[in-house]
């Protein structure tokens, strides 16, 4: 079923919209949640929370790309749930590793950096600019790692690359991001 | 002035990048895996065939000598069944009741590990039904679709994969290109997608050796009309009563469907139907 028809069903407050969303994207959404949470039960709850949130925001929101729209909601809900589960300490799974790796991208400036809230839109612009500059394969590997939370092994299997190639690609991408963030004045 | 940021913030911000980068990496997942599986199967088709033949001989011999119980000679096809959920709305809030926990567990296993669990003999009948429901062939789920599509190069390759001839229009109104897919499942479905200049699918045509509705969309439109078309059986078109976005019909042993992004008049739909065989 076409995404536009599903979105129209949300606008018409037709409950079948949720069934259609689940049929078309349920597996994808569960895999995104599982990449972060590593728990089938929590992943299914995040999937269902995604449908609820989608129902509540469409309308008025009319997503231009339903797949990415749902993926973002699931990812954010999964990270929220992850934070709740591991509020006091670093948990298991890929998230702490992802954070540790991303820390490499941020140069330490100590007290010189301001505590002002970073502008979300500006950060988004910088990240989009960074992704635009990456070769397609490197970009897909980077997104699989830091958007979907795939492990290096999973990425290597998915694309048929060696693990060393995936690690090297991620390392180079992080270096590029580090340079860009520094150039834009971002420090840790 | 320098701005402060931490890795957590960066991780969160990556969740808000342009949709195209998310779609691109999801697309890599779908097409890559499908192609990889197909390639592997072709690469080892000789070995698989030999093993299958040996197993068939073994099974036949076992049946003759009564070594195995009757259950074990059943088909072991395992399918993924969509949740048969019920959705209730109360004051604008949705509460979902999803039944079929065992099926969910099976689905979860397949989704996360990519490896289908071995079918249990007593579950084979349900599994066979699940395969059909997955394709929305008369099942409860109204908007299911085949989830294991393999893209092929052209209409000839599609015919070869599906095992039957397919005739479709070269283009439909607004289309600039076509893609060809074959669904490897209980029912072989050939699918032709017509795309506009932005790469959006604007029309999907399906054909399968089946007597069921193969459109993957059985309750997506408010109005469905049965119409008489010479030479075709059970022709129905669905839409809003004035324009139509779905047509399904039978001809001989085959089932057909056309699903449109932009709805058209009844006559325009009939013109499209006449070009498909």
């Amino acid at each position: 079923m076409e995404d536009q028809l599903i979105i129209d069903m949300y606008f018409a407050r037709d409950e079948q919209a949720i069934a259609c969303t689940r049929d078309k994207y349920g597996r994808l959404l569960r895999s995104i949640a599982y990449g972060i949470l590593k728990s089938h039960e929590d992943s299914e709850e995040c999937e269902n929370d995604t449908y609820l949130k989608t129902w509540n925001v469409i309308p008025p929101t009319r997503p231009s790309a339903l797949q990415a729209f749902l993926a973002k909601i699931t990812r954010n809900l999964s990270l929220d749930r992850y934070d709740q589960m591991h509020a006091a300490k670093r948990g298991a799974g890929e998230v702490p590793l992802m954070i540790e790796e991303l820390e490499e991208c941020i140069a330490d400036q100590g007290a010189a950096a301001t505590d002002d809230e970073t502008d979300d839109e500006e950060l988004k612009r910088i990240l989009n600019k960074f992704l635009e500059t990456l070769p397609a394969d490197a970009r897909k590997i980077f997104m699989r790692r830091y958007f979907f939370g795939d492990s290096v092994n999973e990425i290597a299997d998915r694309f048929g690359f060696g693990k060393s190639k995936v690690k090297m690609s991620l390392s180079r991408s992080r270096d590029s991001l580090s340079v860009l963030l520094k150039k834009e004045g971002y420090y840790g | 002035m320098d701005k402060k940021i931490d890795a957590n913030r960066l991780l969160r911000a990556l969740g808000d990048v342009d949709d195209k980068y998310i779609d691109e990496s999801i697309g890599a997942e779908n097409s890559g895996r499908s192609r990889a599986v197909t390639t592997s199967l072709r690469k080892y088709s000789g070995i698989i065939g030999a093993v299958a033949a040996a197993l068939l001989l073994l099974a036949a011999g076992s049946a003759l000598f009564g070594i195995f119980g009757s259950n074990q000679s059943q088909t072991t096809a395992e399918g993924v069944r969509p949740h048969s959920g019920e959705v209730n709305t109360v004051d604008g809030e949705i509460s979902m009741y999803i039944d079929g926990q065992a099926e969910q567990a099976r689905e979860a296993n397949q989704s996360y590990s990519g490896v289908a669990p071995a079918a249990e003999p007593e579950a084979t009948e349900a599994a066979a039904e699940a395969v059909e429901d997955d394709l929305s062939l008369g099942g409860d789920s109204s908007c299911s679709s085949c989830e294991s599509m393999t893209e092929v190069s052209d209409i000839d390759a599609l015919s070869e994969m599906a095992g039957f001839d397919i005739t479709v229009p070269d283009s439909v109104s607004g289309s600039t290109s076509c893609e060809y897919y074959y669904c490897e499942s209980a029912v072989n479905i050939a699918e032709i997608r017509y795309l506009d200049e932005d790469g959006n699918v604007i029309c999907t045509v399906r054909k399968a050796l089946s007597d069921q509705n193969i459109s993957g969309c059985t309750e997506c439109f408010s109005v469905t009309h049965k119409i008489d078309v010479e030479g075709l059986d059970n022709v129905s078109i669905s839409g809003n009563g004035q324009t139509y976005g779905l047509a399904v019909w039978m001809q001989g042993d085959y089932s057909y469907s056309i699903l449109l992004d932009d709805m058209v008049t009844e006559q325009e739909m009939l013109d499209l139907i006449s070009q498909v065989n």
Side-chain angles (χ1 to χ4, degrees):
Chain A
M1 186 180 195
E2 299 304 320
D3 287 350
Q4 201 51 54
L5 290 175
I6 297 176
I7 293 168
D8 287 345
M9 290 163 79
Y10 277 106
F11 269 82
R13 311 313 286 159
D14 181 346
E15 292 159 17
Q16 193 62 32
I18 292 176
C20 291
T21 306
R22 185 179 55 219
D23 282 348
K24 189 167 182 182
Y25 294 116
R27 177 175 293 194
L28 168 70
L29 301 181
R30 284 193 298 283
S31 72
I32 292 172
Y34 188 79
I36 292 168
L37 297 166
K38 302 296 180 197
S39 156
H40 292 170
E41 187 182 348
D42 290 328
S43 303
E44 284 172 12
E45 286 183 26
C46 272
E47 180 201 352
N48 285 336
D49 289 347
T50 301
Y51 302 137
L52 173 60
K53 182 152 188 176
T54 304
W55 177 265
N56 287 334
V57 298
I58 307 177
T61 306
R62 182 176 281 276
S64 55
L66 184 60
Q67 178 175 250
F69 179 82
L70 295 165
K72 286 177 177 178
I73 290 177
T74 302
R75 185 181 185 271
N76 283 335
L77 289 171
S78 302
L79 285 173
D80 287 346
R81 184 174 283 256
Y82 182 89
D83 286 345
Q84 288 165 12
M85 291 160 61
H86 305 285
K89 59 181 188 303
R90 283 200 164 183
E94 293 299 319
V95 174
L97 296 175
M98 288 155 64
I99 290 172
E100 196 176 313
E101 290 167 12
L102 287 173
E103 277 169 355
E104 294 173 18
C105 303
I106 303 164
D108 187 6
Q109 190 76 345
T114 68
D115 284 333
D116 291 346
E117 185 69 15
T118 310
D119 184 283
D120 284 338
E121 283 303 312
E122 190 188 352
L123 196 50
K124 181 179 165 184
R125 177 189 62 77
I126 292 166
L127 288 171
N128 282 328
K129 185 176 162 187
F130 158 69
L131 290 170
E132 184 68 45
T133 61
L134 289 181
D137 278 353
R139 184 167 57 233
K140 289 174 195 169
I141 290 172
F142 188 89
M143 287 294 288
R144 292 306 316 182
R145 177 69 182 136
Y146 299 112
F147 186 93
F148 295 97
D150 288 359
S151 68
V152 168
N153 283 351
E154 287 167 337
I155 297 168
D157 286 347
R158 180 181 304 279
F159 293 108
F161 297 150
K163 279 184 269 184
S164 57
K165 177 177 177 176
V166 173
K167 283 181 186 171
M168 185 58 71
S169 172
L170 287 170
S171 175
R172 283 180 182 153
S173 297
R174 286 196 301 269
D175 288 346
S176 301
L177 179 57
S178 176
V179 169
L180 183 59
L181 286 171
K182 207 181 293 184
K183 189 177 163 191
E184 297 280 348
Y186 284 90
Y187 292 91
Chain B
M1 184 178 287
D2 294 335
K3 290 156 278 191
K4 195 171 179 65
I5 189 175
D6 62 28
N8 242 320
R9 187 78 194 287
L10 198 53
L11 185 67
R12 288 281 183 167
L14 277 165
D16 200 27
V17 295
D18 272 0
D19 294 347
K20 62 182 177 184
Y21 300 126
I22 299 168
D23 285 338
E24 177 187 55
S25 47
I26 292 171
E29 171 189 39
N30 292 339
S31 58
R33 179 169 294 175
S34 178
R35 286 193 185 108
V37 169
T38 306
T39 305
S40 299
L41 285 175
R42 282 181 185 156
K43 186 176 175 183
Y44 297 111
S45 59
I47 298 170
I48 292 170
V51 171
L55 287 174
L56 276 173
L57 282 171
L58 184 65
S62 301
L64 277 174
F65 293 102
I67 294 172
F68 294 131
S70 59
N71 279 347
Q72 296 201 14
S73 64
Q74 293 175 356
T75 307
T76 56
E78 178 74 17
V80 180
R81 187 191 192 98
H83 299 301
S84 50
E86 180 184 341
V87 181
N88 288 347
T89 306
V90 181
D91 295 333
E93 292 212 345
I94 296 287
S95 56
M96 304 179 65
Y97 302 95
I98 299 172
D99 55 26
Q101 295 301 314
E103 288 168 359
Q104 273 186 289
R106 283 210 303 276
E107 183 176 1
N109 282 338
Q110 289 195 325
S111 300
Y112 303 135
S113 68
V115 178
E120 296 167 11
E122 62 270 25
T124 50
E125 191 176 337
E129 290 172 7
V131 170
E132 288 215 334
D133 281 359
D134 191 32
L135 297 168
S136 192
L137 304 176
D140 293 336
S141 178
S142 62
C143 294
S144 302
S145 59
C146 175
E147 292 184 1
S148 57
M149 288 284 187
T150 301
E151 187 175 2
V152 297
S153 57
D154 53 30
I155 194 83
D156 293 333
L158 185 59
S159 289
E160 189 178 335
M161 291 287 281
F164 47 74
D165 292 334
I166 306 157
T167 305
V168 292
D170 291 335
S171 64
V172 298
S173 177
S175 75
T176 57
S177 62
C178 284
E179 290 178 349
Y180 306 91
Y181 290 87
Y182 167 69
C183 177
E184 302 172 76
S185 187
V187 178
N188 295 347
I189 294 181
E191 179 175 301
I192 300 93
R193 300 176 189 173
Y194 295 87
L195 290 80
D196 65 13
E197 59 185 0
D198 296 324
N200 301 311
V201 178
I202 57 172
C203 173
T204 304
V205 177
R206 282 181 168 186
K207 177 178 179 179
L209 187 59
S210 168
D211 60 356
Q212 305 285 334
N213 176 356
I214 56 165
S215 68
C217 194
T218 56
E219 293 176 8
C220 299
F221 296 93
S222 55
V223 175
T224 296
H225 288 314
K226 293 273 184 192
I227 54 175
D228 291 327
V229 180
E230 192 176 343
L232 306 181
D233 302 321
N234 297 323
V235 184
S236 68
I237 55 175
S238 302
N240 59 19
Q242 294 179 325
T243 54
Y244 299 89
L246 174 69
V248 296
W249 72 97
M250 295 284 303
Q251 186 174 15
D253 295 330
Y254 297 99
S255 178
Y256 300 80
S257 72
I258 298 173
L259 183 63
L260 298 170
D261 194 29
D262 287 329
M263 296 208 281
V264 296
T265 64
E266 181 174 334
Q267 187 54 51
E268 287 170 326
M269 185 63 94
L270 285 171
D271 288 344
L272 274 175
I273 291 172
S274 68
Q275 296 176 67
V276 175
N277 191 7

